[in-house]
Amino acid sequence: MTTIYLAEDQEMLNTALATLLGLEDDLEVIGTATDGQTALSEIISKKPEIAILDIEMPKLSGLDVAEQIKLLDPPTKVIILTTFARATYFEQAVKTNVNGYLLKDNPTDQLVKTIHEVLDGQTIFSPELVTTILSAEKNPLTKRELDVLKEIKLGKNSKEIAKSVFLSDGTVRNYISSILSKTGASSRIEALNIAEKNKWI
Amino acid sequence: MTTIYLAEDQEMLNTALATLLGLEDDLEVIGTATDGQTALSEIISKKPEIAILDIEMPKLSGLDVAEQIKLLDPPTKVIILTTFARATYFEQAVKTNVNGYLLKDNPTDQLVKTIHEVLDGQTIFSPELVTTILSAEKNPLTKRELDVLKEIKLGKNSKEIAKSVFLSDGTVRNYISSILSKTGASSRIEALNIAEKNKWI
DNA sequence: GTATTGATATGACATTTGTCATATTGTTAA
DNA sequence: TTAACAATATGACAAATGTCATATCAATAC
């Protein structure tokens, strides 16, 4: 019997998957959570063989939970289960050495299959995910430009951004100018839209 | 045996729910779709007793599907199943006379229960939904202000907005000024953030 | 039957935003 | 080891943004 822990913040999917996986005759769901903090502490104490983690959860993201698990090194194998084919998520997951990364855009069969493959020692990434990542526009922005863009997203003006990131007002405006020319946008909002569409932030 | 049609664009939830509902001994899932258009035509031809519809789906939203169903008047009862406690969605659903409105923030039991209650002739709305709607900030913006705000969201500048909504540049700027003062924001982006948080757009 | 509000407009003004030229320093790839 | 690039800065300028006062007209609420 393979023990499974499931962390997914959307109740409907959480309960549906818990029931379905429980129906498989070699799998046993030994716990579920709807937030990352609960998930992490329960995974540490219960040491399931497999942890299935959503990324966007309250308190602690699935990626943070995965990182902690891998640091503390319990025997648990991690499968990330998410809606998002976001490059940064994917990269972080790879860095954390997760055992699988599956998109919710797959039927439940695929999840069951992935669980078995991961148990088998394989590392599994959704093929659509890889395609999406490869076909996405490469992010042309530097780290500092991204910092500034994230501040823009909060609705701050140049002076406020300057304070937050410890730069002069003029430098911030230069960065924004550079962001606009690199993205081809002609205003902050347009730049935000482009960056979000391409999943740079 | 009650016949059910399920429209949900996220494969994982779609397949999970289809399997789970199929396990109930009085329910039979006679079809599923991952987009609104397919759902509508199949519901019309198959005439299920219950249609469970997600709102945000490709091609046609669940609310549009519900409206069409109610206009054509097949015997099908409609349950909206969505993540979003958005006031506009809710209002539209009420106007369309759907038979149930359930949030995905509920366990699957609740969905099964709702199906039975709806079959029983009741009209069911998620209690959390009603709470959320009632506690949400009331939208202080006028129709035209909302039109302008939607244009802002696209990243347009005042002149472009003026062209799109057939107003003078100055009027657009007045509207924006009014939006800012009503929302307490001090820039377009901040106003957008506030409006989105409160689900006004 | 008057007061309020929404939709629309203008002009004037201060502030913010975005552009450009130019400069220094440190890191990195060829 | 030089060229390119990232990070940072300044000053000057044009354009866009936001504010305010003021006005008209229609609809609506009291």
Side-chain angles (χ1 to χ4, degrees):
Chain A
M1 211 54 157
T2 301
T3 51
I4 299 201
Y5 192 92
L6 174 64
E8 159 63 52
D9 77 324
Q10 188 187 277
E11 281 281 357
M12 185 71 55
L13 189 61
N14 183 310
T15 53
L17 288 181
T19 309
L20 275 192
L21 294 177
L23 291 176
E24 297 288 316
D25 42 45
D26 58 336
L27 306 181
E28 190 191 359
V29 178
I30 59 169
T32 68
T34 54
D35 73 277
Q37 217 153 74
T38 310
L40 179 58
S41 69
E42 294 207 352
I43 288 168
I44 290 171
S45 66
K46 295 186 176 177
K47 300 201 198 328
E49 286 162 76
I50 300 267
I52 298 173
L53 307 177
D54 185 16
I55 294 187
E56 303 205 338
M57 288 187 292
K59 295 183 189 167
L60 206 60
S61 87
L63 289 172
D64 294 337
V65 174
E67 202 180 334
Q68 291 300 312
I69 293 174
K70 294 294 175 185
L71 280 177
L72 298 169
D73 193 40
T76 302
K77 293 187 167 166
V78 172
I79 297 172
I80 296 289
L81 178 65
T82 178
T83 313
F84 305 101
R86 185 158 302 168
T88 50
Y89 284 171
F90 182 63
E91 283 155 17
Q92 200 186 331
V94 170
K95 240 183 269 167
T96 311
N97 287 313
V98 304
N99 306 89
Y101 194 119
L102 188 67
L103 296 182
K104 288 183 188 168
D105 194 18
N106 278 292
T108 45
D109 309 355
Q110 189 62 48
L111 175 59
V112 173
K113 191 164 160 244
T114 302
I115 292 173
H116 289 130
E117 289 166 334
V118 165
L119 279 172
D120 199 40
Q122 296 179 252
T123 301
I124 303 293
F125 297 111
S126 267
E128 327 82 270
L129 176 69
V130 180
T131 316
T132 311
I133 301 297
L134 293 181
S135 71
E137 286 296 316
K138 225 187 101 250
N139 183 347
L141 305 178
T142 67
K143 175 158 183 326
R144 293 304 263 161
E145 286 165 354
L146 278 175
D147 290 344
V148 169
L149 195 54
K150 283 173 200 155
E151 296 292 318
I152 288 177
K153 185 166 181 200
L154 302 177
K156 298 185 181 175
N157 67 19
S158 307
K159 268 184 212 147
E160 290 165 337
I161 295 172
K163 257 186 208 159
S164 300
V165 298
F166 306 107
L167 288 174
S168 79
D169 170 59
T171 302
V172 168
R173 272 156 52 218
N174 284 340
Y175 280 152
I176 295 173
S177 190
S178 160
I179 290 168
L180 297 182
S181 89
K182 282 178 177 179
T183 58
S186 60
S187 75
R188 293 162 180 227
I189 298 181
E190 219 186 320
L192 270 183
N193 287 160
I194 291 170
E196 282 173 359
K197 197 178 70 198
N198 288 301
K199 306 174 200 302
W200 298 333
I201 51 173
Chain B
M1 209 57 158
T2 300
T3 51
I4 299 202
Y5 192 93
L6 173 64
E8 159 61 53
D9 77 325
Q10 189 186 275
E11 280 281 357
M12 186 73 54
L13 189 60
N14 183 309
T15 53
L17 288 182
T19 309
L20 275 192
L21 295 178
L23 292 175
E24 297 289 316
D25 42 46
D26 58 336
L27 305 180
E28 189 192 358
V29 178
I30 59 168
T32 68
T34 54
D35 72 277
Q37 219 153 72
T38 310
L40 179 59
S41 68
E42 294 207 352
I43 288 167
I44 291 170
S45 65
K46 295 184 174 175
K47 302 202 196 327
E49 285 163 75
I50 301 266
I52 298 173
L53 306 176
D54 184 18
I55 294 187
E56 303 205 338
M57 288 187 291
K59 294 182 190 168
L60 207 62
S61 87
L63 289 171
D64 294 336
V65 174
E67 202 180 334
Q68 290 301 313
I69 292 174
K70 292 295 175 188
L71 280 178
L72 297 168
D73 193 41
T76 303
K77 291 186 167 168
V78 171
I79 297 173
I80 296 290
L81 178 65
T82 179
T83 313
F84 306 101
R86 185 159 303 168
T88 50
Y89 283 171
F90 182 64
E91 283 155 17
Q92 200 187 330
V94 171
K95 238 182 269 169
T96 311
N97 288 312
V98 304
N99 307 87
Y101 194 118
L102 188 66
L103 295 182
K104 287 183 189 168
D105 196 17
N106 277 292
T108 45
D109 309 357
Q110 190 60 50
L111 175 60
V112 174
K113 193 165 159 243
T114 303
I115 291 172
H116 290 131
E117 290 166 333
V118 165
L119 279 173
D120 200 41
Q122 296 180 252
T123 300
I124 303 294
F125 298 110
S126 266
E128 326 85 270
L129 176 71
V130 180
T131 316
T132 311
I133 301 297
L134 291 181
S135 71
E137 285 297 317
K138 228 189 100 248
N139 183 349
L141 306 179
T142 67
K143 171 150 188 331
R144 292 303 264 161
E145 287 165 352
L146 277 176
D147 290 345
V148 169
L149 194 55
K150 283 175 200 155
E151 296 292 318
I152 288 177
K153 185 165 181 203
L154 303 176
K156 297 186 182 175
N157 67 20
S158 307
K159 268 183 214 149
E160 290 165 337
I161 295 172
K163 257 187 209 161
S164 301
V165 298
F166 306 105
L167 289 173
S168 79
D169 171 60
T171 303
V172 168
R173 271 153 58 215
N174 284 340
Y175 279 152
I176 295 173
S177 191
S178 160
I179 290 168
L180 297 182
S181 89
K182 283 179 178 178
T183 59
S186 60
S187 73
R188 293 163 180 225
I189 298 181
E190 220 187 320
L192 271 183
N193 288 161
I194 292 169
E196 282 173 359
K197 194 177 72 199
N198 287 302
K199 304 177 203 300
W200 298 334
I201 52 171

